[in-house]
Amino acid sequence: MMITLIALMTMVIVFLIVGLCFRLAGGVLKLAFKLLICLPCAILFGALGIALCCTLLLIPLGLLCFKLVGILLNPFRMCTV
């Protein structure tokens, strides 16, 4: 009985440590993805949105570029409900 309890406690501790490591690795990968891909694209679309809003006819496209910047800066927001 005591050996089963010790084995169960050991498994719980191991699973908690492994879960924490995967959560940490996922956070690091998410940050790297944002910095390497999403941030430069957001800067380019922001500049394009400013340029499009300077013209009278293309203001709706400029506003869509600004919405795209918001999505690019938080790409995993769409996954949460």
Side-chain angles (χ1 to χ4, degrees):
M1 180 71 173
M2 189 65 155
I3 295 174
T4 306
L5 185 61
I6 292 172
L8 184 62
M9 292 297 287
T10 305
M11 285 177 35
V12 167
I13 291 171
V14 168
F15 286 143
L16 285 174
I17 291 172
V18 169
L20 181 64
C21 291
F22 277 120
R23 181 174 293 214
L24 181 66
V28 170
L29 289 175
K30 179 180 171 183
L31 181 64
F33 176 74
K34 273 185 156 182
L35 288 176
L36 293 177
I37 296 174
C38 292
L39 189 62
C41 288
I43 292 171
L44 289 175
F45 275 110
L48 181 65
I50 290 172
L52 289 175
C53 284
C54 289
T55 63
L56 189 59
L57 293 176
L58 297 177
I59 288 176
L61 290 176
L63 295 177
L64 287 175
C65 284
F66 291 133
K67 286 183 183 181
L68 186 59
V69 167
I71 291 172
L72 283 171
L73 291 178
N74 197 0
F76 298 104
R77 177 182 57 192
M78 296 178 291
C79 297
T80 59
V81 176

Coordinates of all heavy atoms in Angstrom, one line a residue:
M1 N 0.8 -1.2 0.0 CA 0.0 0.0 0.0 C 0.9 1.3 0.0 O 0.6 2.2 -0.7 CB -0.9 0.0 1.2 CG -1.8 1.1 1.3 SD -3.1 1.0 0.1 CE -4.1 2.3 0.5
M2 N 1.9 1.3 0.8 CA 2.8 2.4 0.9 C 3.6 2.6 -0.4 O 3.8 3.8 -0.8 CB 3.7 2.3 2.1 CG 4.5 3.5 2.4 SD 3.4 4.8 2.9 CE 4.4 5.8 3.9
I3 N 4.0 1.5 -1.0 CA 4.7 1.6 -2.3 C 3.9 2.2 -3.4 O 4.3 3.0 -4.2 CB 5.3 0.2 -2.7 CG1 6.3 -0.2 -1.6 CG2 5.9 0.3 -4.1 CD1 6.8 -1.6 -1.8
T4 N 2.6 1.8 -3.4 CA 1.6 2.3 -4.4 C 1.5 3.8 -4.2 O 1.4 4.6 -5.2 CB 0.3 1.6 -4.3 OG1 0.5 0.2 -4.4 CG2 -0.7 2.1 -5.4
L5 N 1.3 4.3 -3.0 CA 1.2 5.7 -2.7 C 2.4 6.5 -3.1 O 2.3 7.6 -3.7 CB 0.9 5.9 -1.2 CG 0.6 7.3 -0.8 CD1 -0.7 7.8 -1.5 CD2 0.4 7.4 0.7
I6 N 3.6 6.0 -2.8 CA 4.8 6.6 -3.2 C 4.9 6.7 -4.8 O 5.3 7.7 -5.3 CB 6.0 5.9 -2.6 CG1 6.0 6.1 -1.1 CG2 7.3 6.4 -3.2 CD1 7.1 5.3 -0.3
A7 N 4.6 5.6 -5.4 CA 4.6 5.6 -6.9 C 3.7 6.6 -7.5 O 4.0 7.3 -8.5 CB 4.4 4.2 -7.4
L8 N 2.5 6.6 -6.9 CA 1.5 7.6 -7.4 C 1.9 9.0 -7.2 O 1.8 9.9 -8.1 CB 0.1 7.3 -6.7 CG -1.0 8.2 -7.1 CD1 -1.4 7.9 -8.6 CD2 -2.2 7.9 -6.3
M9 N 2.5 9.4 -6.1 CA 3.0 10.7 -5.8 C 4.1 11.1 -6.7 O 4.2 12.2 -7.2 CB 3.4 10.8 -4.3 CG 2.3 10.8 -3.3 SD 1.1 12.1 -3.5 CE 2.1 13.4 -2.9
T10 N 5.0 10.1 -7.0 CA 6.1 10.3 -7.9 C 5.6 10.6 -9.3 O 6.1 11.5 -10.0 CB 7.0 9.1 -7.9 OG1 7.5 8.8 -6.6 CG2 8.2 9.3 -8.8
M11 N 4.6 9.9 -9.8 CA 4.1 10.1 -11.1 C 3.4 11.5 -11.2 O 3.5 12.2 -12.2 CB 3.0 9.0 -11.4 CG 3.7 7.7 -11.8 SD 2.6 6.3 -12.1 CE 1.2 7.0 -12.9
V12 N 2.7 11.9 -10.1 CA 2.1 13.2 -10.2 C 3.1 14.3 -10.2 O 3.0 15.2 -11.0 CB 1.2 13.4 -8.9 CG1 0.8 14.8 -8.7 CG2 0.0 12.5 -9.0
I13 N 4.2 14.2 -9.5 CA 5.3 15.2 -9.5 C 5.9 15.2 -10.9 O 6.2 16.3 -11.4 CB 6.3 14.9 -8.4 CG1 5.6 15.2 -7.0 CG2 7.5 15.7 -8.6 CD1 6.4 14.7 -5.8
V14 N 6.2 14.0 -11.5 CA 6.8 14.0 -12.8 C 5.9 14.6 -13.8 O 6.4 15.4 -14.7 CB 7.2 12.5 -13.1 CG1 7.5 12.4 -14.6 CG2 8.3 12.0 -12.3
F15 N 4.6 14.3 -13.8 CA 3.7 14.9 -14.8 C 3.6 16.4 -14.6 O 3.5 17.2 -15.6 CB 2.3 14.3 -14.7 CG 2.2 12.9 -15.3 CD1 1.5 11.9 -14.7 CD2 3.0 12.6 -16.4 CE1 1.4 10.6 -15.2 CE2 2.9 11.3 -16.9 CZ 2.1 10.3 -16.3
L16 N 3.6 16.9 -13.4 CA 3.6 18.4 -13.2 C 4.8 19.0 -13.7 O 4.8 20.1 -14.4 CB 3.5 18.7 -11.7 CG 2.1 18.4 -11.1 CD1 2.1 18.6 -9.6 CD2 1.1 19.4 -11.7
I17 N 6.0 18.4 -13.5 CA 7.2 19.0 -14.0 C 7.3 19.0 -15.6 O 7.6 19.9 -16.2 CB 8.5 18.2 -13.4 CG1 8.5 18.5 -11.9 CG2 9.7 18.6 -14.1 CD1 9.6 17.7 -11.2
V18 N 6.8 17.9 -16.2 CA 6.8 17.8 -17.6 C 5.8 18.8 -18.2 O 6.1 19.4 -19.2 CB 6.5 16.3 -18.0 CG1 6.2 16.2 -19.5 CG2 7.6 15.4 -17.7
G19 N 4.7 18.9 -17.6 CA 3.7 19.9 -18.1 C 4.2 21.3 -18.0 O 4.0 22.1 -18.9
L20 N 4.9 21.6 -16.9 CA 5.5 23.0 -16.8 C 6.6 23.2 -17.8 O 6.6 24.3 -18.4 CB 6.1 23.1 -15.4 CG 6.7 24.5 -15.1 CD1 5.7 25.5 -15.1 CD2 7.4 24.4 -13.7
C21 N 7.4 22.2 -18.1 CA 8.4 22.4 -19.2 C 7.8 22.6 -20.6 O 8.3 23.4 -21.3 CB 9.3 21.1 -19.2 SG 10.4 21.0 -17.8
F22 N 6.7 21.8 -20.9 CA 6.1 22.0 -22.2 C 5.4 23.4 -22.3 O 5.4 24.0 -23.3 CB 5.0 20.9 -22.5 CG 5.7 19.7 -23.0 CD1 5.5 18.5 -22.3 CD2 6.4 19.7 -24.2 CE1 6.1 17.3 -22.8 CE2 6.9 18.5 -24.7 CZ 6.8 17.4 -24.0
R23 N 4.8 23.9 -21.2 CA 4.2 25.2 -21.2 C 5.3 26.3 -21.4 O 5.1 27.2 -22.1 CB 3.4 25.4 -19.9 CG 2.8 26.8 -19.8 CD 1.9 26.9 -18.6 NE 0.8 26.0 -18.8 CZ -0.4 26.2 -18.3 NH1 -0.6 27.3 -17.7 NH2 -1.3 25.3 -18.5
L24 N 6.4 26.1 -20.7 CA 7.5 27.1 -20.9 C 8.0 27.0 -22.3 O 8.3 28.1 -22.9 CB 8.6 26.7 -19.9 CG 9.8 27.7 -19.9 CD1 9.4 29.1 -19.4 CD2 10.9 27.1 -19.0
A25 N 8.2 25.8 -22.9 CA 8.7 25.7 -24.3 C 7.7 26.3 -25.2 O 8.1 27.0 -26.2 CB 9.0 24.3 -24.6
G26 N 6.4 26.1 -25.0 CA 5.4 26.7 -25.9 C 5.4 28.2 -25.8 O 5.2 28.9 -26.9
G27 N 5.6 28.8 -24.6 CA 5.7 30.2 -24.5 C 6.9 30.8 -25.2 O 6.8 31.9 -25.9
V28 N 8.0 30.1 -25.2 CA 9.2 30.6 -25.8 C 9.0 30.5 -27.4 O 9.4 31.4 -28.1 CB 10.4 29.8 -25.4 CG1 11.7 30.1 -26.3 CG2 10.8 30.0 -23.9
L29 N 8.4 29.4 -27.9 CA 8.2 29.3 -29.3 C 7.2 30.4 -29.8 O 7.3 30.9 -30.9 CB 7.7 27.9 -29.6 CG 8.7 26.8 -29.5 CD1 8.1 25.5 -29.8 CD2 9.8 27.0 -30.5
K30 N 6.2 30.7 -29.0 CA 5.2 31.7 -29.3 C 5.9 33.0 -29.4 O 5.6 33.8 -30.4 CB 4.1 31.7 -28.3 CG 3.0 32.7 -28.5 CD 2.0 32.6 -27.4 CE 1.0 33.8 -27.5 NZ 0.0 33.7 -26.4
L31 N 6.7 33.4 -28.5 CA 7.4 34.6 -28.5 C 8.4 34.7 -29.7 O 8.4 35.8 -30.3 CB 8.2 34.8 -27.2 CG 8.9 36.1 -27.0 CD1 8.0 37.3 -27.0 CD2 9.8 36.1 -25.8
A32 N 9.1 33.7 -30.0 CA 10.0 33.7 -31.1 C 9.2 33.9 -32.4 O 9.6 34.6 -33.3 CB 10.8 32.4 -31.2
F33 N 8.0 33.2 -32.5 CA 7.2 33.3 -33.7 C 6.7 34.8 -33.9 O 6.8 35.3 -35.0 CB 6.0 32.4 -33.6 CG 5.0 32.5 -34.7 CD1 5.3 32.0 -36.0 CD2 3.8 33.1 -34.5 CE1 4.4 32.1 -37.0 CE2 2.9 33.2 -35.5 CZ 3.1 32.7 -36.8
K34 N 6.3 35.4 -32.8 CA 5.9 36.8 -32.9 C 7.0 37.7 -33.3 O 6.8 38.6 -34.1 CB 5.3 37.2 -31.5 CG 3.9 36.9 -31.3 CD 3.5 37.5 -29.9 CE 2.0 37.7 -29.9 NZ 1.6 38.3 -28.7
L35 N 8.2 37.5 -32.7 CA 9.2 38.5 -33.0 C 9.8 38.3 -34.3 O 10.2 39.3 -35.0 CB 10.3 38.3 -31.9 CG 10.0 38.8 -30.5 CD1 11.2 38.5 -29.6 CD2 9.7 40.3 -30.5
L36 N 9.9 37.1 -34.8 CA 10.6 36.9 -36.1 C 9.7 37.0 -37.3 O 10.1 37.4 -38.4 CB 11.2 35.5 -36.1 CG 12.3 35.2 -35.2 CD1 12.8 33.8 -35.2 CD2 13.5 36.2 -35.5
I37 N 8.4 36.7 -37.2 CA 7.5 36.7 -38.3 C 6.4 37.8 -38.2 O 6.2 38.7 -39.1 CB 6.8 35.4 -38.5 CG1 7.9 34.3 -38.8 CG2 5.8 35.4 -39.6 CD1 7.4 32.9 -38.9
C38 N 5.7 37.8 -37.1 CA 4.5 38.7 -37.0 C 4.9 40.2 -36.8 O 4.2 41.0 -37.4 CB 3.7 38.3 -35.8 SG 2.9 36.7 -36.1
L39 N 5.9 40.5 -36.1 CA 6.3 41.9 -35.8 C 6.7 42.6 -37.1 O 6.2 43.7 -37.4 CB 7.3 42.0 -34.7 CG 7.6 43.4 -34.2 CD1 6.4 44.0 -33.6 CD2 8.8 43.4 -33.2
P40 N 7.6 42.0 -37.9 CA 8.0 42.7 -39.2 C 6.8 42.9 -40.1 O 6.6 43.9 -40.8 CB 9.0 41.9 -39.8 CG 9.6 41.1 -38.7 CD 8.5 40.9 -37.7
C41 N 5.9 41.9 -40.2 CA 4.8 42.0 -41.0 C 3.8 43.0 -40.5 O 3.2 43.8 -41.3 CB 4.0 40.6 -41.1 SG 4.9 39.4 -42.1
A42 N 3.6 43.1 -39.2 CA 2.8 44.1 -38.6 C 3.3 45.5 -38.9 O 2.5 46.5 -39.2 CB 2.6 43.9 -37.1
I43 N 4.6 45.7 -38.8 CA 5.2 47.0 -39.2 C 4.9 47.4 -40.6 O 4.6 48.5 -40.9 CB 6.7 47.0 -38.8 CG1 6.9 47.0 -37.3 CG2 7.4 48.3 -39.4 CD1 8.3 46.7 -36.8
L44 N 5.1 46.4 -41.5 CA 4.9 46.7 -42.9 C 3.4 47.0 -43.2 O 3.1 47.9 -44.0 CB 5.4 45.5 -43.8 CG 6.9 45.3 -43.9 CD1 7.2 44.0 -44.6 CD2 7.5 46.5 -44.5
F45 N 2.5 46.3 -42.6 CA 1.1 46.5 -42.9 C 0.7 47.8 -42.2 O -0.2 48.5 -42.7 CB 0.2 45.4 -42.4 CG 0.1 44.3 -43.4 CD1 0.7 43.0 -43.2 CD2 -0.6 44.4 -44.6 CE1 0.6 42.0 -44.1 CE2 -0.7 43.4 -45.5 CZ -0.1 42.2 -45.3
G46 N 1.3 48.2 -41.1 CA 1.0 49.5 -40.5 C 1.4 50.6 -41.4 O 0.6 51.6 -41.6
A47 N 2.6 50.5 -42.0 CA 3.1 51.6 -42.9 C 2.2 51.6 -44.2 O 1.8 52.7 -44.7 CB 4.5 51.3 -43.3
L48 N 1.8 50.4 -44.7 CA 0.9 50.4 -45.8 C -0.5 51.0 -45.5 O -1.1 51.7 -46.3 CB 0.7 48.9 -46.3 CG -0.1 48.7 -47.5 CD1 0.5 49.4 -48.7 CD2 -0.3 47.2 -47.8
G49 N -1.0 50.7 -44.3 CA -2.2 51.3 -43.9 C -2.2 52.8 -43.8 O -3.1 53.5 -44.2
I50 N -1.1 53.4 -43.3 CA -0.9 54.8 -43.3 C -0.9 55.4 -44.7 O -1.5 56.4 -45.0 CB 0.4 55.2 -42.5 CG1 0.2 54.9 -41.0 CG2 0.7 56.7 -42.7 CD1 1.4 55.0 -40.2
A51 N -0.1 54.7 -45.6 CA -0.1 55.2 -47.0 C -1.4 55.1 -47.7 O -1.8 56.0 -48.4 CB 1.0 54.4 -47.7
L52 N -2.2 54.1 -47.4 CA -3.5 53.9 -48.0 C -4.5 54.9 -47.5 O -5.4 55.4 -48.2 CB -4.0 52.5 -47.9 CG -3.3 51.4 -48.7 CD1 -3.9 50.1 -48.4 CD2 -3.4 51.7 -50.2
C53 N -4.4 55.3 -46.2 CA -5.3 56.2 -45.6 C -5.0 57.7 -46.1 O -5.9 58.5 -45.9 CB -5.3 56.1 -44.1 SG -6.1 54.7 -43.4
C54 N -3.9 57.9 -46.7 CA -3.6 59.2 -47.2 C -4.4 59.5 -48.5 O -4.6 60.7 -48.8 CB -2.1 59.4 -47.5 SG -1.1 59.5 -46.0
T55 N -4.8 58.5 -49.2 CA -5.6 58.7 -50.3 C -7.1 58.5 -49.9 O -7.4 57.8 -49.0 CB -5.3 57.6 -51.4 OG1 -5.6 56.3 -50.9 CG2 -3.8 57.6 -51.8
L56 N -7.9 59.3 -50.6 CA -9.3 59.3 -50.2 C -10.1 58.0 -50.6 O -10.9 57.5 -49.8 CB -10.0 60.5 -50.9 CG -11.4 60.9 -50.4 CD1 -11.4 61.1 -48.9 CD2 -12.0 62.0 -51.1
L57 N -9.8 57.5 -51.7 CA -10.5 56.3 -52.1 C -10.1 55.0 -51.5 O -10.9 54.1 -51.4 CB -10.4 56.1 -53.7 CG -11.0 57.2 -54.5 CD1 -10.7 57.0 -56.0 CD2 -12.5 57.2 -54.3
L58 N -8.9 55.0 -51.0 CA -8.4 53.7 -50.4 C -8.4 53.7 -48.9 O -7.8 52.8 -48.3 CB -7.0 53.4 -50.9 CG -6.9 53.3 -52.4 CD1 -5.4 53.1 -52.9 CD2 -7.7 52.1 -52.9
I59 N -9.2 54.5 -48.2 CA -9.3 54.5 -46.8 C -9.8 53.2 -46.2 O -9.3 52.7 -45.3 CB -10.1 55.8 -46.3 CG1 -9.3 57.0 -46.5 CG2 -10.5 55.6 -44.8 CD1 -10.0 58.3 -46.1
P60 N -10.8 52.6 -46.9 CA -11.3 51.3 -46.3 C -10.2 50.2 -46.4 O -10.1 49.4 -45.4 CB -12.5 50.9 -47.3 CG -12.9 52.2 -47.8 CD -11.7 53.1 -47.9
L61 N -9.4 50.2 -47.4 CA -8.3 49.2 -47.4 C -7.3 49.6 -46.3 O -6.7 48.6 -45.8 CB -7.6 49.2 -48.8 CG -8.5 48.7 -49.9 CD1 -7.7 48.8 -51.2 CD2 -8.8 47.2 -49.7
G62 N -7.0 50.8 -46.1 CA -6.1 51.2 -45.0 C -6.6 50.8 -43.7 O -5.8 50.3 -42.8
L63 N -7.9 50.9 -43.4 CA -8.5 50.4 -42.2 C -8.4 48.9 -42.0 O -8.2 48.4 -40.9 CB -9.9 50.9 -42.0 CG -10.1 52.4 -42.0 CD1 -11.6 52.8 -41.9 CD2 -9.4 53.0 -40.8
L64 N -8.6 48.2 -43.1 CA -8.4 46.8 -43.1 C -6.9 46.4 -42.8 O -6.7 45.4 -42.1 CB -8.8 46.1 -44.4 CG -10.3 46.1 -44.7 CD1 -10.6 45.6 -46.1 CD2 -11.0 45.3 -43.6
C65 N -6.0 47.2 -43.3 CA -4.6 46.9 -42.9 C -4.4 47.1 -41.4 O -3.6 46.3 -40.8 CB -3.7 47.8 -43.7 SG -3.5 47.4 -45.4
F66 N -5.0 48.0 -40.8 CA -4.9 48.2 -39.4 C -5.5 47.1 -38.6 O -5.0 46.7 -37.6 CB -5.4 49.6 -39.0 CG -4.7 50.8 -39.5 CD1 -5.3 51.8 -40.0 CD2 -3.3 50.8 -39.4 CE1 -4.6 52.9 -40.5 CE2 -2.6 51.9 -39.8 CZ -3.2 52.9 -40.4
K67 N -6.6 46.5 -39.1 CA -7.2 45.4 -38.4 C -6.3 44.2 -38.6 O -6.1 43.4 -37.6 CB -8.5 45.0 -39.1 CG -9.6 46.0 -38.7 CD -11.0 45.6 -39.2 CE -12.0 46.6 -38.9 NZ -13.3 46.2 -39.4
L68 N -5.6 44.0 -39.7 CA -4.7 42.9 -39.9 C -3.5 43.1 -39.0 O -2.9 42.1 -38.5 CB -4.2 42.9 -41.4 CG -3.3 41.7 -41.8 CD1 -4.1 40.4 -41.5 CD2 -3.0 41.8 -43.2
V69 N -3.0 44.3 -38.7 CA -1.9 44.5 -37.8 C -2.3 44.0 -36.4 O -1.6 43.4 -35.7 CB -1.6 46.0 -37.7 CG1 -0.7 46.4 -36.5 CG2 -0.9 46.5 -39.0
G70 N -3.6 44.3 -36.0 CA -4.1 43.8 -34.7 C -4.1 42.3 -34.6 O -3.7 41.7 -33.6
I71 N -4.4 41.6 -35.7 CA -4.4 40.2 -35.7 C -3.0 39.6 -35.7 O -2.7 38.7 -35.0 CB -5.2 39.7 -37.0 CG1 -6.7 40.0 -36.8 CG2 -4.9 38.2 -37.2 CD1 -7.5 39.7 -38.1
L72 N -2.1 40.3 -36.4 CA -0.7 39.9 -36.5 C 0.0 40.0 -35.1 O 0.9 39.2 -34.8 CB 0.1 40.6 -37.5 CG -0.2 40.2 -39.0 CD1 0.5 41.2 -39.9 CD2 0.4 38.8 -39.2
L73 N -0.3 41.0 -34.4 CA 0.3 41.2 -33.1 C -0.2 40.3 -32.0 O 0.4 40.1 -31.0 CB 0.2 42.7 -32.7 CG 1.0 43.7 -33.5 CD1 0.7 45.1 -33.0 CD2 2.4 43.4 -33.5
N74 N -1.3 39.7 -32.2 CA -1.9 38.7 -31.3 C -2.5 37.6 -32.1 O -3.7 37.4 -32.2 CB -2.9 39.3 -30.4 CG -3.2 38.5 -29.2 OD1 -2.6 37.5 -29.0 ND2 -4.1 39.0 -28.4
P75 N -1.6 36.7 -32.7 CA -2.1 35.7 -33.6 C -2.8 34.5 -32.9 O -3.7 33.9 -33.5 CB -0.8 35.1 -34.3 CG 0.2 35.4 -33.3 CD -0.1 36.7 -32.6
F76 N -2.6 34.3 -31.7 CA -3.3 33.2 -31.0 C -4.5 33.6 -30.3 O -5.2 32.8 -29.6 CB -2.3 32.6 -30.0 CG -1.1 32.0 -30.7 CD1 0.1 32.7 -30.6 CD2 -1.1 30.9 -31.4 CE1 1.2 32.2 -31.3 CE2 0.0 30.4 -32.1 CZ 1.1 31.1 -32.0
R77 N -5.0 34.9 -30.4 CA -6.2 35.4 -29.9 C -7.4 34.7 -30.5 O -8.4 34.4 -29.9 CB -6.3 36.9 -30.0 CG -7.6 37.4 -29.5 CD -7.7 38.9 -29.7 NE -7.6 39.2 -31.2 CZ -7.4 40.4 -31.6 NH1 -7.3 41.4 -30.8 NH2 -7.2 40.6 -32.9
M78 N -7.2 34.3 -31.8 CA -8.3 33.7 -32.6 C -8.6 32.3 -32.0 O -9.7 31.8 -32.2 CB -8.0 33.7 -34.0 CG -7.8 35.0 -34.7 SD -7.4 35.0 -36.4 CE -5.7 34.4 -36.3
C79 N -7.6 31.6 -31.4 CA -7.8 30.3 -31.0 C -8.6 30.2 -29.7 O -9.2 29.2 -29.4 CB -6.4 29.6 -30.8 SG -5.5 29.5 -32.3
T80 N -8.6 31.3 -28.9 CA -9.3 31.2 -27.6 C -10.7 31.6 -27.8 O -11.1 32.5 -28.6 CB -8.6 32.2 -26.6 OG1 -8.7 33.5 -27.2 CG2 -7.2 31.8 -26.3
V81 N -11.6 30.9 -27.1 CA -13.0 31.2 -27.2 C -13.6 31.9 -26.0 O -13.1 31.6 -24.9 CB -13.8 29.9 -27.5 CG1 -15.3 30.2 -27.5 CG2 -13.3 29.3 -28.8

